[in-house]
Amino acid sequence: MTINEFKEMMICNEPEFTYNGQFYSICSPGGKYYVMSSDNPADEELVFDTIDDLLDGWVIQGKPLRELLPELEF
């Protein structure tokens, strides 16, 4: 998935995905982005103000989400 495809998807979706056997999800109530990950419960404390903040700031298994997008299927 490209960054533009991801940004378009986020307009009206709250995606879930798996990566290396772990479960992840994103929700966006009130225009902020909240995340959940099965391998890092502390991620539930994360809040991102923009999609770019989410892409750069959410680190999944040592990589920012932006780097993982080409490997993910939503």
Side-chain angles (χ1 to χ4, degrees):
M1 172 171 283
T2 68
I3 291 169
N4 286 336
E5 289 170 335
F6 179 77
K7 288 180 177 183
E8 287 178 25
M9 177 187 66
M10 290 301 298
I11 292 170
C12 59
N13 292 287
E14 295 186 337
E16 299 176 345
F17 60 96
T18 59
Y19 180 72
N20 287 337
Q22 299 296 321
F23 173 81
Y24 303 90
S25 66
I26 304 166
C27 63
S28 56
K32 301 223 181 241
Y33 300 91
Y34 300 85
V35 298
M36 197 266 319
S37 61
S38 62
D39 63 337
N40 191 0
D43 280 1
E44 291 182 28
E45 304 295 321
L46 298 175
V47 179
F48 302 97
D49 292 323
T50 68
I51 292 177
D52 284 312
D53 289 343
L54 171 67
L55 287 167
D56 295 326
W58 191 19
V59 178
I60 297 171
Q61 298 182 25
K63 295 181 183 179
L65 178 58
R66 184 180 299 273
E67 287 182 27
L68 294 178
L69 277 184
E71 300 175 49
L72 301 177
E73 291 186 30
F74 292 90

